[in-house]
Amino acid sequence: MIPRPRLTRIRLLAALLLAAACSGGPTTLSVEHAALGAALAKAGVLSGRMGGFSSFALSQISKNSKLTLVSDATGATAEFNAAAVLVIWDLHTTVAQFEIGWYNGIVGWNRLNVANETVDHMVTAGAAASGNVVQDRLTVQIPVLTGNIIGEATAYVKATEAIYVGSAGTYSVTSSTFGTPKACARPIDVPTPVSCVVSVGTVAGTFTYTAQRFSGTGGATLTQPSVSFSLPAVQVIISEK
């Protein structure tokens, strides 16, 4: 039997108080981290959520590891950089939809072009939901909506500008640990109108998916066999000031 998911209740007011008290003041985003966040957002990670702050959240990825993943519809594989992300946001003042929500997933990419802010390939698998009760251990079916939680998977191939959207599969997190939160890194001389804290940790689990081509050209279907992972992770909590 799959154990019941352990729930972590995120109270955003408490997070803001923690942001004021936590160690490690604001630091500056490196050019590479900023480019990675922008490239992943362009490729579709957290697409349509967070009121334009997805690249800022993804720029907090500080460590990654390697996974060998399917890179196109032919079944070819490549080595990807990969990290797990757990992002929680409260943007109820400016965002009409998904104003309070969370995402728990893995992100893989390769061949980051810092100057152009692009990646050659990108894959994600994870779960998203509205509300501020976050599951940091869970098992979801892709693309099934259960309660307010939906399983998701996407893939992007720059060469053909193809985006694939998950039509079947499973994403499961079996362990999730994070350290002490600190203030998020921020763009150089660009004020960000949100409060943000980030903590670094490790997330482990498995995922598999089949995805159908949504746009671009190339094969109609991309299939990723089951992968086990234990990845560096970031937990990012963003709220309006």
Side-chain angles (χ1 to χ4, degrees):
M1 292 180 62
I2 298 172
R4 287 186 66 185
R6 183 165 62 90
L7 299 184
T8 302
R9 182 170 293 276
I10 303 297
R11 295 193 180 276
L12 291 164
L13 178 59
L16 297 180
L17 295 174
L18 180 60
C22 64
S23 61
T27 57
T28 301
L29 274 176
S30 71
V31 173
E32 182 172 353
H33 285 159
L36 175 62
L40 294 177
K42 287 178 185 177
V45 184
L46 293 172
S47 177
R49 296 187 172 98
M50 298 184 61
F53 290 110
S54 57
S55 63
F56 174 56
L58 295 165
S59 295
Q60 307 306 315
I61 295 173
S62 56
K63 297 181 180 179
N64 61 78
S65 189
K66 301 292 185 181
L67 287 178
T68 299
L69 303 174
V70 171
S71 56
D72 61 37
T74 70
T77 59
E79 188 174 69
F80 283 64
N81 301 95
V85 295
L86 202 167
V87 184
I88 306 104
W89 62 90
D90 179 356
L91 301 169
H92 61 274
T93 300
T94 58
V95 183
Q97 192 177 19
F98 303 116
E99 65 273 12
I100 301 177
W102 56 268
Y103 177 79
N104 178 333
I106 69 96
V107 183
W109 70 92
N110 62 21
R111 297 183 182 175
L112 171 65
N113 184 314
V114 172
N116 294 333
E117 298 182 337
T118 59
V119 291
D120 279 8
H121 300 95
M122 181 279 297
V123 300
T124 68
S130 59
N132 62 354
V133 179
V134 181
Q135 294 190 9
D136 61 356
R137 300 183 189 181
L138 77 170
T139 296
V140 294
Q141 303 301 312
I142 299 167
V144 178
L145 178 65
T146 302
N148 70 332
I149 302 173
I150 189 166
E152 298 181 338
T154 59
Y156 167 76
V157 182
K158 181 176 181 293
T160 58
E161 289 300 325
I163 295 176
Y164 293 84
V165 178
S167 56
T170 304
Y171 172 73
S172 179
V173 174
T174 54
S175 68
S176 179
T177 59
F178 293 96
T180 303
K182 63 180 181 180
C184 294
R186 293 180 178 271
I188 299 173
D189 297 327
V190 177
T192 303
V194 293
S195 296
C196 178
V197 292
V198 59
S199 52
V200 178
T202 303
V203 170
T206 61
F207 69 92
T208 179
Y209 66 83
T210 298
Q212 304 297 317
R213 181 164 53 81
F214 174 76
S215 62
T217 60
T221 303
L222 187 151
T223 299
Q224 172 63 60
S226 183
V227 177
S228 296
F229 63 88
S230 181
L231 293 172
V234 291
Q235 178 175 265
V236 183
I237 303 173
I238 293 179
S239 179
E240 292 169 314
K241 292 181 178 179

